[in-house]
Amino acid sequence: PALCLGSLSQNQNTYDGLTRIKNVQQIEMGKARMTPWYFSPYPQELCSLPVIYICEFCLKYLKSNNCLKRHKIKCKLFHPPGNEIYRKNNISVFEIDGRKNKNYAQNLCLIAKLFLDHKTLYYDTDPFLFYVMTEYDQFGLHMVGYFSKEKESSEDYNVACILTLPCHQKKGYGRLLIEFSYLLSQVEGKLGSPEKPLSDLGLLSYRSYWSNAVLEALIQYLDSPTESPPSLTILELCDRLCMKKEDVISTLQHLNLIHYYKGQYIICLSNEIIDQHRKSMFRRKVRIDEKYLQWQPKDWSKRGKW
């Protein structure tokens, strides 16, 4: 059976030890050949082959390059299924319903499991939405990464699982995916957060995004005409960033910006921190631009929406 990946959580006690053993030697997807890091439950007859070939548009897995060539003649997709909800320049994001596009969602999860450890395995993709980021060229829209989220999350989690394909890492796509997840939370009018606890790698990625987002919001506030002395509460900062209170506080503590002074907690920003942040943001060439989002949230509590 195919699967859906759960959270970025580390504490998954139900893992069978055998599933921690890497079972796929290599996969070929588009122009990239990648070496998996972890186990993924592909059919056993494919796992014995040196390479599993994957259609980069529909994500169907095949046993040989000849099979892939024959499949390409019949496959009419040049982009992910679902709705294109964002496009700016050569970057697009597609929203894919795990119920309406079950085969694609299941195949996506199989790929993701090759590169993500400590995941809960679900054998039903219906409760999930998948947001696939693509890069456009003359041959189509090629997947660079994705994140999933539950249609209904009691904790308002805005990400269940997130991955940038190894062949597209170190290009800033991971940060773009996180940024996009918070843009969706903003449109929903919610404070979002990834499922907890985070893996070490997940925490590293989110800590970087949160640090930049918090510093940017604080510097923008200081640059705007405000009362003197400036006054900004933690809750106001949460609302500006659509971040949960615990994530904002942990980020301020990580950056060592919170200090106790004359009976109250204050946020201290040095000129050195401001300069470092501005240099860092200047190097970022690609950002998510909310003007290019074409999306309305659905009320998934009404089962008719499913």
Short mmCIF file of all heavy atoms in Angstrom, two decimals, residues 74-119:
data_model
loop_
_atom_site.label_atom_id
_atom_site.label_comp_id
_atom_site.label_asym_id
_atom_site.label_seq_id
_atom_site.Cartn_x
_atom_site.Cartn_y
_atom_site.Cartn_z
N LYS A 74 2.69 8.42 -23.39
CA LYS A 74 1.28 8.39 -22.97
C LYS A 74 0.96 9.44 -21.91
O LYS A 74 -0.19 9.89 -21.82
CB LYS A 74 0.94 7.00 -22.42
CG LYS A 74 1.02 5.88 -23.46
CD LYS A 74 0.65 4.54 -22.86
CE LYS A 74 1.73 4.04 -21.91
NZ LYS A 74 1.44 2.66 -21.41
N CYS A 75 1.94 9.83 -21.10
CA CYS A 75 1.69 10.77 -20.01
C CYS A 75 1.51 12.18 -20.56
O CYS A 75 2.38 12.71 -21.26
CB CYS A 75 2.85 10.75 -19.01
SG CYS A 75 2.59 11.82 -17.58
N LYS A 76 0.39 12.78 -20.26
CA LYS A 76 0.07 14.11 -20.80
C LYS A 76 0.40 15.24 -19.83
O LYS A 76 0.16 16.41 -20.14
CB LYS A 76 -1.42 14.17 -21.16
CG LYS A 76 -1.89 13.10 -22.15
CD LYS A 76 -1.11 13.16 -23.46
CE LYS A 76 -1.59 12.09 -24.44
NZ LYS A 76 -0.76 12.07 -25.67
N LEU A 77 0.94 14.90 -18.68
CA LEU A 77 1.22 15.94 -17.68
C LEU A 77 2.58 16.59 -17.93
O LEU A 77 3.56 15.92 -18.23
CB LEU A 77 1.22 15.33 -16.27
CG LEU A 77 -0.13 15.10 -15.59
CD1 LEU A 77 0.09 14.49 -14.22
CD2 LEU A 77 -0.93 16.39 -15.47
N PHE A 78 2.60 17.92 -17.80
CA PHE A 78 3.86 18.67 -17.81
C PHE A 78 3.97 19.56 -16.58
O PHE A 78 4.77 20.49 -16.53
CB PHE A 78 3.97 19.51 -19.09
CG PHE A 78 4.15 18.66 -20.33
CD1 PHE A 78 3.06 18.28 -21.09
CD2 PHE A 78 5.41 18.21 -20.70
CE1 PHE A 78 3.21 17.49 -22.22
CE2 PHE A 78 5.57 17.41 -21.82
CZ PHE A 78 4.48 17.05 -22.59
N HIS A 79 3.14 19.27 -15.60
CA HIS A 79 3.12 19.98 -14.32
C HIS A 79 2.37 19.11 -13.33
O HIS A 79 1.70 18.15 -13.73
CB HIS A 79 2.45 21.34 -14.46
CG HIS A 79 1.04 21.27 -14.99
ND1 HIS A 79 -0.03 20.86 -14.21
CD2 HIS A 79 0.53 21.52 -16.21
CE1 HIS A 79 -1.14 20.88 -14.93
NE2 HIS A 79 -0.82 21.27 -16.16
N PRO A 80 2.45 19.38 -12.03
CA PRO A 80 1.68 18.59 -11.07
C PRO A 80 0.18 18.74 -11.32
O PRO A 80 -0.26 19.73 -11.90
CB PRO A 80 2.07 19.21 -9.71
CG PRO A 80 3.37 19.89 -9.96
CD PRO A 80 3.31 20.38 -11.38
N PRO A 81 -0.62 17.75 -10.89
CA PRO A 81 -2.07 17.91 -10.99
C PRO A 81 -2.55 18.94 -9.96
O PRO A 81 -1.74 19.54 -9.24
CB PRO A 81 -2.59 16.51 -10.65
CG PRO A 81 -1.54 15.93 -9.76
CD PRO A 81 -0.24 16.48 -10.26
N GLY A 82 -3.85 19.15 -9.87
CA GLY A 82 -4.36 20.11 -8.89
C GLY A 82 -4.40 21.52 -9.43
O GLY A 82 -4.29 21.75 -10.64
N ASN A 83 -4.54 22.48 -8.53
CA ASN A 83 -4.71 23.89 -8.90
C ASN A 83 -3.41 24.66 -8.72
O ASN A 83 -2.77 24.57 -7.66
CB ASN A 83 -5.80 24.54 -8.05
CG ASN A 83 -7.15 23.88 -8.23
OD1 ASN A 83 -7.53 23.53 -9.34
ND2 ASN A 83 -7.87 23.69 -7.13
N GLU A 84 -3.03 25.41 -9.74
CA GLU A 84 -1.88 26.32 -9.61
C GLU A 84 -2.37 27.55 -8.85
O GLU A 84 -3.20 28.31 -9.34
CB GLU A 84 -1.34 26.71 -10.98
CG GLU A 84 -0.07 27.55 -10.90
CD GLU A 84 0.48 27.94 -12.26
OE1 GLU A 84 -0.25 27.78 -13.26
OE2 GLU A 84 1.62 28.42 -12.31
N ILE A 85 -1.86 27.75 -7.64
CA ILE A 85 -2.36 28.83 -6.79
C ILE A 85 -1.36 29.98 -6.66
O ILE A 85 -1.67 31.02 -6.08
CB ILE A 85 -2.75 28.32 -5.39
CG1 ILE A 85 -1.53 27.72 -4.67
CG2 ILE A 85 -3.88 27.30 -5.49
CD1 ILE A 85 -1.79 27.34 -3.21
N TYR A 86 -0.16 29.78 -7.20
CA TYR A 86 0.86 30.84 -7.11
C TYR A 86 1.79 30.73 -8.31
O TYR A 86 2.19 29.63 -8.70
CB TYR A 86 1.68 30.67 -5.82
CG TYR A 86 2.78 31.71 -5.64
CD1 TYR A 86 2.55 32.92 -5.00
CD2 TYR A 86 4.08 31.45 -6.11
CE1 TYR A 86 3.56 33.85 -4.83
CE2 TYR A 86 5.09 32.38 -5.95
CZ TYR A 86 4.82 33.58 -5.31
OH TYR A 86 5.82 34.51 -5.15
N ARG A 87 2.09 31.88 -8.92
CA ARG A 87 3.09 31.92 -9.98
C ARG A 87 3.74 33.29 -10.02
O ARG A 87 3.08 34.31 -10.13
CB ARG A 87 2.47 31.63 -11.35
CG ARG A 87 3.53 31.60 -12.47
CD ARG A 87 2.91 31.65 -13.85
NE ARG A 87 2.07 30.50 -14.14
CZ ARG A 87 1.41 30.35 -15.27
NH1 ARG A 87 1.47 31.28 -16.20
NH2 ARG A 87 0.66 29.27 -15.46
N LYS A 88 5.04 33.28 -9.91
CA LYS A 88 5.83 34.50 -10.10
C LYS A 88 7.13 34.12 -10.80
O LYS A 88 7.89 33.29 -10.30
CB LYS A 88 6.13 35.21 -8.78
CG LYS A 88 6.87 36.53 -8.99
CD LYS A 88 7.18 37.25 -7.70
CE LYS A 88 7.91 38.57 -8.01
NZ LYS A 88 8.34 39.26 -6.76
N ASN A 89 7.35 34.74 -11.95
CA ASN A 89 8.51 34.40 -12.77
C ASN A 89 8.48 32.90 -13.08
O ASN A 89 7.52 32.40 -13.62
CB ASN A 89 9.80 34.85 -12.10
CG ASN A 89 9.83 36.37 -11.90
OD1 ASN A 89 9.27 37.11 -12.69
ND2 ASN A 89 10.47 36.81 -10.84
N ASN A 90 9.53 32.16 -12.69
CA ASN A 90 9.56 30.73 -13.03
C ASN A 90 9.18 29.83 -11.86
O ASN A 90 9.34 28.61 -11.92
CB ASN A 90 10.95 30.35 -13.54
CG ASN A 90 12.01 30.44 -12.44
OD1 ASN A 90 11.89 31.24 -11.52
ND2 ASN A 90 13.04 29.62 -12.54
N ILE A 91 8.65 30.42 -10.78
CA ILE A 91 8.27 29.65 -9.60
C ILE A 91 6.75 29.56 -9.50
O ILE A 91 6.05 30.58 -9.55
CB ILE A 91 8.82 30.28 -8.30
CG1 ILE A 91 10.34 30.40 -8.36
CG2 ILE A 91 8.38 29.48 -7.08
CD1 ILE A 91 11.07 29.07 -8.45
N SER A 92 6.24 28.33 -9.39
CA SER A 92 4.81 28.10 -9.21
C SER A 92 4.59 27.17 -8.03
O SER A 92 5.47 26.40 -7.65
CB SER A 92 4.18 27.48 -10.46
OG SER A 92 4.16 28.38 -11.54
N VAL A 93 3.37 27.25 -7.45
CA VAL A 93 2.96 26.32 -6.40
C VAL A 93 1.59 25.76 -6.76
O VAL A 93 0.68 26.51 -7.13
CB VAL A 93 2.89 26.99 -5.01
CG1 VAL A 93 2.41 25.98 -3.96
CG2 VAL A 93 4.25 27.55 -4.61
N PHE A 94 1.47 24.43 -6.67
CA PHE A 94 0.22 23.74 -6.96
C PHE A 94 -0.35 23.17 -5.66
O PHE A 94 0.39 22.59 -4.86
CB PHE A 94 0.44 22.60 -7.97
CG PHE A 94 0.73 23.08 -9.36
CD1 PHE A 94 2.01 23.53 -9.71
CD2 PHE A 94 -0.26 23.07 -10.34
CE1 PHE A 94 2.28 23.97 -11.00
CE2 PHE A 94 0.02 23.50 -11.63
CZ PHE A 94 1.27 23.95 -11.96
N GLU A 95 -1.66 23.33 -5.48
CA GLU A 95 -2.35 22.72 -4.35
C GLU A 95 -3.00 21.42 -4.82
O GLU A 95 -3.78 21.42 -5.78
CB GLU A 95 -3.42 23.66 -3.79
CG GLU A 95 -4.16 23.08 -2.60
CD GLU A 95 -5.28 23.97 -2.11
OE1 GLU A 95 -6.24 24.20 -2.88
OE2 GLU A 95 -5.21 24.44 -0.96
N ILE A 96 -2.68 20.33 -4.16
CA ILE A 96 -3.14 19.00 -4.57
C ILE A 96 -3.91 18.37 -3.42
O ILE A 96 -3.38 18.25 -2.30
CB ILE A 96 -1.95 18.12 -4.99
CG1 ILE A 96 -1.31 18.72 -6.26
CG2 ILE A 96 -2.37 16.70 -5.25
CD1 ILE A 96 0.17 18.54 -6.34
N ASP A 97 -5.13 17.97 -3.69
CA ASP A 97 -5.98 17.33 -2.70
C ASP A 97 -5.64 15.84 -2.64
O ASP A 97 -5.69 15.15 -3.66
CB ASP A 97 -7.45 17.53 -3.10
CG ASP A 97 -8.42 17.07 -2.02
OD1 ASP A 97 -8.13 16.07 -1.33
OD2 ASP A 97 -9.47 17.71 -1.86
N GLY A 98 -5.29 15.35 -1.46
CA GLY A 98 -4.89 13.96 -1.31
C GLY A 98 -6.01 12.97 -1.59
O GLY A 98 -5.74 11.79 -1.82
N ARG A 99 -7.24 13.44 -1.60
CA ARG A 99 -8.35 12.55 -1.95
C ARG A 99 -8.60 12.54 -3.45
O ARG A 99 -8.79 11.50 -4.06
CB ARG A 99 -9.63 13.00 -1.23
CG ARG A 99 -10.83 12.09 -1.52
CD ARG A 99 -12.08 12.59 -0.82
NE ARG A 99 -12.56 13.83 -1.40
CZ ARG A 99 -13.34 13.91 -2.48
NH1 ARG A 99 -13.69 12.82 -3.13
NH2 ARG A 99 -13.74 15.08 -2.92
N LYS A 100 -8.56 13.74 -4.08
CA LYS A 100 -8.87 13.84 -5.51
C LYS A 100 -7.72 13.35 -6.38
O LYS A 100 -7.93 12.91 -7.51
CB LYS A 100 -9.21 15.28 -5.87
CG LYS A 100 -10.50 15.78 -5.22
CD LYS A 100 -10.76 17.23 -5.58
CE LYS A 100 -12.05 17.74 -4.93
NZ LYS A 100 -12.29 19.18 -5.22
N ASN A 101 -6.51 13.45 -5.90
CA ASN A 101 -5.33 13.02 -6.67
C ASN A 101 -4.54 12.00 -5.83
O ASN A 101 -3.37 12.21 -5.51
CB ASN A 101 -4.46 14.23 -7.02
CG ASN A 101 -5.16 15.20 -7.93
OD1 ASN A 101 -5.25 15.01 -9.13
ND2 ASN A 101 -5.68 16.28 -7.34
N LYS A 102 -5.20 10.90 -5.52
CA LYS A 102 -4.65 9.94 -4.57
C LYS A 102 -3.36 9.30 -5.07
O LYS A 102 -2.38 9.19 -4.32
CB LYS A 102 -5.70 8.87 -4.28
CG LYS A 102 -5.32 7.94 -3.13
CD LYS A 102 -6.50 7.11 -2.66
CE LYS A 102 -7.64 7.97 -2.20
NZ LYS A 102 -8.39 7.37 -1.09
N ASN A 103 -3.32 8.86 -6.33
CA ASN A 103 -2.12 8.20 -6.84
C ASN A 103 -0.92 9.13 -6.79
O ASN A 103 0.19 8.72 -6.40
CB ASN A 103 -2.34 7.72 -8.28
CG ASN A 103 -3.22 6.47 -8.33
OD1 ASN A 103 -3.38 5.78 -7.34
ND2 ASN A 103 -3.81 6.21 -9.49
N TYR A 104 -1.12 10.38 -7.22
CA TYR A 104 -0.02 11.34 -7.21
C TYR A 104 0.45 11.57 -5.77
O TYR A 104 1.66 11.57 -5.49
CB TYR A 104 -0.46 12.66 -7.83
CG TYR A 104 0.64 13.70 -7.91
CD1 TYR A 104 1.45 13.80 -9.04
CD2 TYR A 104 0.90 14.56 -6.85
CE1 TYR A 104 2.47 14.74 -9.11
CE2 TYR A 104 1.91 15.50 -6.90
CZ TYR A 104 2.70 15.58 -8.03
OH TYR A 104 3.71 16.51 -8.08
N ALA A 105 -0.49 11.76 -4.85
CA ALA A 105 -0.14 12.03 -3.46
C ALA A 105 0.61 10.87 -2.84
O ALA A 105 1.61 11.05 -2.13
CB ALA A 105 -1.42 12.34 -2.66
N GLN A 106 0.17 9.65 -3.13
CA GLN A 106 0.84 8.48 -2.59
C GLN A 106 2.25 8.32 -3.17
O GLN A 106 3.19 8.00 -2.44
CB GLN A 106 -0.01 7.24 -2.88
CG GLN A 106 -1.31 7.22 -2.09
CD GLN A 106 -2.23 6.08 -2.47
OE1 GLN A 106 -2.11 5.51 -3.56
NE2 GLN A 106 -3.17 5.75 -1.61
N ASN A 107 2.39 8.56 -4.46
CA ASN A 107 3.72 8.48 -5.08
C ASN A 107 4.65 9.57 -4.55
O ASN A 107 5.86 9.35 -4.38
CB ASN A 107 3.60 8.58 -6.60
CG ASN A 107 3.03 7.32 -7.22
OD1 ASN A 107 3.09 6.25 -6.63
ND2 ASN A 107 2.45 7.45 -8.40
N LEU A 108 4.09 10.76 -4.28
CA LEU A 108 4.88 11.85 -3.70
C LEU A 108 5.40 11.46 -2.33
O LEU A 108 6.57 11.70 -1.99
CB LEU A 108 4.02 13.11 -3.63
CG LEU A 108 4.65 14.34 -2.96
CD1 LEU A 108 5.93 14.76 -3.68
CD2 LEU A 108 3.66 15.50 -2.94
N CYS A 109 4.56 10.81 -1.54
CA CYS A 109 4.97 10.39 -0.21
C CYS A 109 6.04 9.30 -0.26
O CYS A 109 6.94 9.27 0.59
CB CYS A 109 3.76 9.91 0.58
SG CYS A 109 2.62 11.23 1.03
N LEU A 110 5.95 8.43 -1.24
CA LEU A 110 6.98 7.40 -1.40
C LEU A 110 8.34 8.04 -1.68
O LEU A 110 9.37 7.61 -1.14
CB LEU A 110 6.61 6.45 -2.54
CG LEU A 110 5.54 5.40 -2.24
CD1 LEU A 110 5.13 4.68 -3.51
CD2 LEU A 110 6.04 4.39 -1.21
N ILE A 111 8.36 9.06 -2.54
CA ILE A 111 9.60 9.77 -2.84
C ILE A 111 10.12 10.47 -1.59
O ILE A 111 11.31 10.38 -1.24
CB ILE A 111 9.39 10.79 -3.97
CG1 ILE A 111 9.08 10.07 -5.29
CG2 ILE A 111 10.61 11.69 -4.15
CD1 ILE A 111 8.59 10.99 -6.40
N ALA A 112 9.22 11.16 -0.91
CA ALA A 112 9.63 11.92 0.28
C ALA A 112 10.22 11.02 1.35
O ALA A 112 11.19 11.38 2.02
CB ALA A 112 8.44 12.70 0.83
N LYS A 113 9.66 9.83 1.49
CA LYS A 113 10.15 8.91 2.54
C LYS A 113 11.59 8.49 2.29
O LYS A 113 12.31 8.14 3.24
CB LYS A 113 9.23 7.69 2.61
CG LYS A 113 9.54 6.76 3.77
CD LYS A 113 9.29 7.46 5.11
CE LYS A 113 9.88 6.65 6.26
NZ LYS A 113 11.36 6.76 6.33
N LEU A 114 12.05 8.56 1.04
CA LEU A 114 13.44 8.23 0.74
C LEU A 114 14.42 9.21 1.39
O LEU A 114 15.59 8.87 1.61
CB LEU A 114 13.67 8.24 -0.78
CG LEU A 114 12.96 7.16 -1.61
CD1 LEU A 114 13.06 7.50 -3.09
CD2 LEU A 114 13.54 5.78 -1.31
N PHE A 115 13.94 10.42 1.69
CA PHE A 115 14.84 11.48 2.16
C PHE A 115 14.45 12.05 3.51
O PHE A 115 15.07 13.00 3.98
CB PHE A 115 14.90 12.60 1.11
CG PHE A 115 15.29 12.12 -0.25
CD1 PHE A 115 14.36 11.98 -1.26
CD2 PHE A 115 16.60 11.75 -0.51
CE1 PHE A 115 14.72 11.52 -2.52
CE2 PHE A 115 16.98 11.28 -1.76
CZ PHE A 115 16.03 11.15 -2.77
N LEU A 116 13.41 11.49 4.12
CA LEU A 116 12.96 11.98 5.42
C LEU A 116 12.90 10.83 6.41
O LEU A 116 12.23 9.83 6.18
CB LEU A 116 11.57 12.62 5.31
CG LEU A 116 11.48 13.89 4.45
CD1 LEU A 116 10.03 14.27 4.24
CD2 LEU A 116 12.24 15.04 5.10
N ASP A 117 13.58 11.00 7.53
CA ASP A 117 13.56 9.99 8.58
C ASP A 117 12.55 10.38 9.65
O ASP A 117 12.03 11.50 9.65
CB ASP A 117 14.96 9.87 9.19
CG ASP A 117 15.13 8.58 9.97
OD1 ASP A 117 14.27 7.70 9.85
OD2 ASP A 117 16.13 8.46 10.70
N HIS A 118 12.28 9.48 10.57
CA HIS A 118 11.40 9.76 11.71
C HIS A 118 10.04 10.27 11.27
O HIS A 118 9.60 11.34 11.68
CB HIS A 118 12.05 10.78 12.67
CG HIS A 118 13.38 10.35 13.18
ND1 HIS A 118 14.54 11.01 12.85
CD2 HIS A 118 13.74 9.32 13.97
CE1 HIS A 118 15.56 10.41 13.44
NE2 HIS A 118 15.11 9.39 14.12
N LYS A 119 9.39 9.53 10.43
CA LYS A 119 8.07 9.92 9.95
C LYS A 119 7.02 8.89 10.34
O LYS A 119 7.29 7.70 10.33
CB LYS A 119 8.07 10.05 8.41
CG LYS A 119 8.91 11.20 7.93
CD LYS A 119 8.25 12.52 8.26
CE LYS A 119 9.21 13.66 8.06
NZ LYS A 119 9.94 14.01 9.25
#
